[in-house]
Amino acid sequence: TMVANLSSHKQGWDDRWEEFSKHAEQGKACHDRLLSLVDEDTAAFDGIMASWRLPTGNEDEKAAKEAAVQAAVQNAIEVPIQVMEVSLESMATALAMAESGLEASASDAGVAALCARTAVLGAGLNVHINAPDLEDESLRNAFLTKASELAARSEELEKEILAVVDERLAGDSHTQD
């Protein structure tokens, strides 16, 4: 987003303002959604903790607790899956800016790729830590498969972005275009 904003104000690139604004808006939307997901992740963890503390004095309470635990675990997997998806989505902005943003800011696009992939992998760890507690084997496997696919795609995108950044840095004579 920063690279898009800087690029949109480069002298002589006035005709590209809308292009960079679109990327900046996409990046900002990812940023805002990820900030919201931080709170959702905290709430998901709190939900698991609360469900584990439910009473189990009789069969009805045991059944209610188990249902609450399973719902909380599913939520604690779904939220990190969303973090993975949005972080991966943010990599599209990083790629676009690595390719067409200010050459002097190419390294920032690379840093964005590294951070986004780290977010994908970190959220994937949260999926994996919670998955064994999900009793629905089919759903558990679907979440684990999706997490693996998102992690693999983030690795591919990171490599692609860093290759573009490396290419631009190799050709960089510290100019501003």
Side-chain angles (χ1 to χ4, degrees):
T1 299
M2 180 190 75
V3 176
N5 285 325
L6 290 171
S7 299
S8 71
H9 296 292
K10 179 173 174 26
Q11 188 172 4
W13 283 12
D14 296 337
D15 60 327
R16 299 182 69 195
W17 182 85
E18 286 185 29
E19 168 195 351
F20 291 119
S21 291
K22 181 184 97 179
H23 291 300
E25 288 171 9
Q26 290 169 339
K28 180 64 172 146
C30 289
H31 172 263
D32 291 347
R33 181 66 183 128
L34 287 167
L35 283 177
S36 173
L37 284 165
V38 168
D39 293 334
E40 290 181 39
D41 190 60
T42 300
F45 175 78
D46 291 343
I48 286 179
M49 297 306 292
S51 69
W52 283 340
R53 288 191 289 264
L54 291 173
T56 57
N58 60 49
E59 291 305 312
D60 287 342
E61 287 179 345
K62 286 178 186 177
K65 177 180 179 175
E66 184 54 34
V69 166
Q70 289 304 300
V73 167
Q74 184 173 336
N75 189 47
I77 294 170
E78 289 172 341
V79 172
I81 289 284
Q82 290 177 53
V83 170
M84 295 177 82
E85 292 169 337
V86 177
S87 297
L88 188 60
E89 182 183 333
S90 77
M91 294 178 87
T93 300
L95 177 59
M97 292 304 89
E99 292 172 335
S100 67
L102 282 174
E103 189 171 295
S105 297
S107 62
D108 295 308
V111 170
L114 294 168
C115 290
R117 178 157 183 251
T118 298
V120 170
L121 296 179
L125 293 175
N126 287 336
V127 170
H128 284 275
I129 196 72
N130 289 310
D133 292 329
L134 191 61
E135 290 180 358
D136 182 332
E137 185 178 352
S138 176
L139 187 57
R140 178 177 61 241
N141 289 338
F143 282 134
L144 291 171
T145 298
K146 181 156 185 119
S148 293
E149 290 169 353
L150 292 167
R153 182 64 184 132
S154 74
E155 183 177 355
E156 294 167 6
L157 269 174
E158 179 194 52
K159 286 178 184 176
E160 183 178 352
I161 294 164
L162 292 178
V164 170
V165 170
D166 286 344
E167 183 178 311
R168 292 196 75 196
L169 293 177
D172 184 11
S173 59
H174 297 291
T175 61
Q176 294 295 310
D177 50 85

